[in-house]
Amino acid sequence: MSRRSGILEFAVLGLLRESPMHGYELRKRLNTSLGVFRAFSYGTLYPCLKTLVTNGWLIEEPGNTPEDALATPLSGRRAKIVYRLTAEGKEHFEDLLSQTGPDAYEDEHFAARFAFFGQTSRDVRMRVLEGRRSRLEERLEKMRASLARTRERLDDYTLELQRHGMESVEREVRWLNELIESERAGRDQRRPGPDGSAQQDNTSGESGGLPRPGDTPGPDPSDDTAT
C-alpha cells in the first residue's frame, strides 16, 4: 500500500467513525474538511472503499433517503450505497490513531492526523506535534544552509522565493510551539493537586486548551515547503 493510499484510508475510516456516509458525502468531506484531498477523484476514492470493505473494516448498506426509495430497476436509477464502519474497522482506526512513527510527521499525513486530533489521546498528540516540530526544524536548518551557500548565485526573485519558503516553515514551527505549550498546560492543569484530589485523566482526547482559531496560522496543506 502506498503512503498516499494509506493516508486516504486513514481519513475515510476517521470520517466514517463519525457517521455512515454515501460516497458522494465522503468525497465532499474529504475535499472541504481535509484540504490535502482536494485533488482526489471518485476514481481514487471508490477503489479505496472497496479495499476497506474487502478487509472487513467497512460494510455497504442500501441508502434510506427518499431519493434512494425512488431508485428502482424500472426507474433506471441506482440506489446510493452507504458505507458504515465495522467494529473491526473502528479497532483498526484506533490502532492507526495511536501510531506516532515518522509517517505521522510528513506533510500530507500530518495534516490528516491533525484533523482527527479530537479523537486522539493527549500523549499521542504530544508525540506527533513534537515529532513534526523536530522534522521542520531539521528542514529549516537545511534550507538556511542551502541559502547561505547559494545566495550569491541567486537572482532576486529566486532569493525571495527561498525566503518565502523559509518563512512558511518558521511560521509553522511557531504554531507548533504554541500547540505544544497548550497541550502541556492542559496536562498540568489535570494533574492531582497537593491535597490528592482526583483530576481529569490527562490521556483523554480533550483539547487541553488549544489556541483560539485565528490566533495563529495552521499548516497550509497546499504550501509545499519540502523542497
Side-chain angles (χ1 to χ4, degrees), residues 68-130:
D68 294 326
L70 296 175
T72 64
L74 293 179
S75 70
R77 298 173 56 188
R78 296 177 57 188
K80 291 181 180 179
I81 295 174
V82 173
Y83 295 90
R84 182 185 298 275
L85 196 66
T86 64
E88 292 80 5
K90 182 179 179 181
E91 182 178 347
H92 178 62
F93 178 68
E94 290 174 350
D95 179 62
L96 294 176
L97 276 181
S98 69
Q99 296 179 11
T100 59
D103 280 352
Y105 318 148
E106 299 300 335
D107 294 348
E108 291 183 345
H109 208 158
F110 174 75
R113 285 297 302 270
F114 191 82
F116 295 100
F117 261 24
Q119 304 180 40
T120 307
S121 71
R122 181 173 288 108
D123 288 344
V124 171
R125 289 199 303 261
M126 283 289 291
R127 288 196 292 271
V128 173
L129 289 172
E130 289 173 342

Side-chain angles (χ1 to χ4, degrees), residues 84-214:
R84 182 185 298 275
L85 196 66
T86 64
E88 292 80 5
K90 182 179 179 181
E91 182 178 347
H92 178 62
F93 178 68
E94 290 174 350
D95 179 62
L96 294 176
L97 276 181
S98 69
Q99 296 179 11
T100 59
D103 280 352
Y105 318 148
E106 299 300 335
D107 294 348
E108 291 183 345
H109 208 158
F110 174 75
R113 285 297 302 270
F114 191 82
F116 295 100
F117 261 24
Q119 304 180 40
T120 307
S121 71
R122 181 173 288 108
D123 288 344
V124 171
R125 289 199 303 261
M126 283 289 291
R127 288 196 292 271
V128 173
L129 289 172
E130 289 173 342
R132 175 65 175 174
R133 180 176 63 180
S134 177
R135 181 62 53 87
L136 289 183
E137 287 174 340
E138 292 174 3
R139 182 184 301 174
L140 196 55
E141 281 300 309
K142 292 179 181 178
M143 295 174 74
R144 287 169 175 162
S146 176
L147 184 60
R149 290 194 306 269
T150 61
R151 182 186 299 272
E152 299 302 324
R153 302 196 300 271
L154 298 178
D155 61 60
D156 290 343
Y157 296 101
T158 305
L159 184 61
E160 192 61 31
L161 184 62
Q162 294 284 337
R163 288 172 175 164
H164 174 68
M166 288 178 55
E167 289 173 358
S168 298
V169 178
E170 290 169 343
R171 184 167 59 250
E172 186 173 346
V173 169
R174 291 193 298 269
W175 175 72
L176 288 166
N177 284 336
E178 293 194 14
L179 288 174
I180 290 169
E181 288 306 312
S182 295
E183 292 286 350
R184 286 175 177 164
R187 180 169 58 190
D188 291 343
Q189 291 170 5
R190 290 164 176 79
R191 288 176 179 169
D195 60 353
S197 59
Q199 302 293 316
Q200 187 169 344
D201 183 3
N202 63 18
T203 61
S204 70
E206 295 190 2
S207 64
L210 295 178
R212 290 173 297 176

Side-chain angles (χ1 to χ4, degrees), residues 45-80:
L45 176 59
Y46 280 106
C48 172
L49 291 170
K50 293 298 183 184
T51 297
L52 296 176
V53 170
T54 300
N55 290 341
W57 298 330
L58 301 182
I59 57 173
E60 297 176 327
E61 299 176 338
N64 56 7
T65 65
E67 292 81 3
D68 294 326
L70 296 175
T72 64
L74 293 179
S75 70
R77 298 173 56 188
R78 296 177 57 188
K80 291 181 180 179

Side-chain angles (χ1 to χ4, degrees), residues 16-27:
L16 290 176
R17 188 187 186 189
E18 299 173 4
S19 65
M21 297 184 202
H22 297 301
Y24 173 79
E25 293 174 302
L26 265 173
R27 183 174 180 237

